[in-house]
Amino acid sequence: MMQLSVKTQIEQLKNLQSKVEAQIKPQLDKASAEAKKILKELGANLDEQQSLTDVVSAIRSHNPTLRSFLLSLDSATYDTRKRFEWNATMMSAYAKFQAEIGYEKNVKPLIENYIDSAERQFDDLKAKAHALKDKLRG
């Protein structure tokens, strides 16, 4: 019985993992698109297939000084950073909420059942120990 309940819990965790992955994949695709947008704003030409060296050279020529590069980087990433921060906060809150529901619905009753069973077995052992102690005295 215990093996069956553990197997069921593992299946439920796998289902939850699949749901979370399905929700995260679109976010990763959006992040990739944002990264390309940022590189374009920094001066890289991503329309054609280029090596990493060519991309870096284009960014360097568009931003000749470190100060101009940092300003361009800050400007290019501002919206993305704030959106990413918001999405990460919301996704973690949703995952926490789902975990709490799963815990309350599935895990907590099992733990309480195991604790009650252990307490009953301990009380039975204690009663048997007292009975044996009384029998040995008497």
Side-chain angles (χ1 to χ4, degrees):
M1 175 161 171
M2 203 164 137
Q3 291 175 342
L4 182 61
S5 66
V6 170
K7 186 176 179 180
T8 303
Q9 289 176 353
I10 290 173
E11 289 174 4
Q12 289 173 345
L13 286 174
K14 285 181 181 178
N15 289 339
L16 180 62
Q17 178 185 3
S18 298
K19 288 179 184 178
V20 169
E21 286 175 356
Q23 291 175 353
I24 289 175
K25 185 173 179 351
Q27 296 297 327
L28 291 175
D29 293 341
K30 286 180 185 178
S32 177
E34 287 294 322
K36 289 178 183 177
K37 178 182 163 191
I38 290 168
L39 287 172
K40 277 189 171 191
E41 288 182 32
L42 290 174
N45 183 9
L46 301 176
D47 294 334
E48 52 193 64
Q49 189 72 12
Q50 292 184 341
S51 69
L52 182 58
T53 305
D54 294 337
V55 172
V56 171
S57 294
I59 291 173
R60 280 185 178 166
S61 66
H62 190 263
N63 302 286
T65 65
L66 179 61
R67 186 174 195 281
S68 66
F69 172 73
L70 291 177
L71 288 173
S72 294
L73 182 64
D74 186 51
S75 174
T77 61
Y78 181 80
D79 290 339
T80 303
R81 284 182 283 138
K82 294 304 177 185
R83 192 177 319 111
F84 181 73
E85 187 178 302
W86 172 258
N87 288 344
T89 301
M90 292 298 109
M91 285 185 348
S92 66
Y94 179 75
K96 180 183 176 198
F97 178 70
Q98 292 299 321
E100 289 172 351
I101 288 174
Y103 172 78
E104 288 292 327
K105 183 179 176 185
N106 300 318
V107 177
K108 187 176 178 182
L110 287 174
I111 291 173
E112 289 174 348
N113 186 23
Y114 293 144
I115 290 172
D116 290 342
S117 175
E119 286 176 349
R120 282 193 303 273
Q121 290 176 358
F122 180 72
D123 289 343
D124 289 346
L125 285 173
K126 196 164 68 170
K128 287 179 184 178
H130 284 299
L132 185 59
K133 183 178 172 184
D134 291 341
K135 187 176 180 180
L136 290 175
R137 280 189 193 166

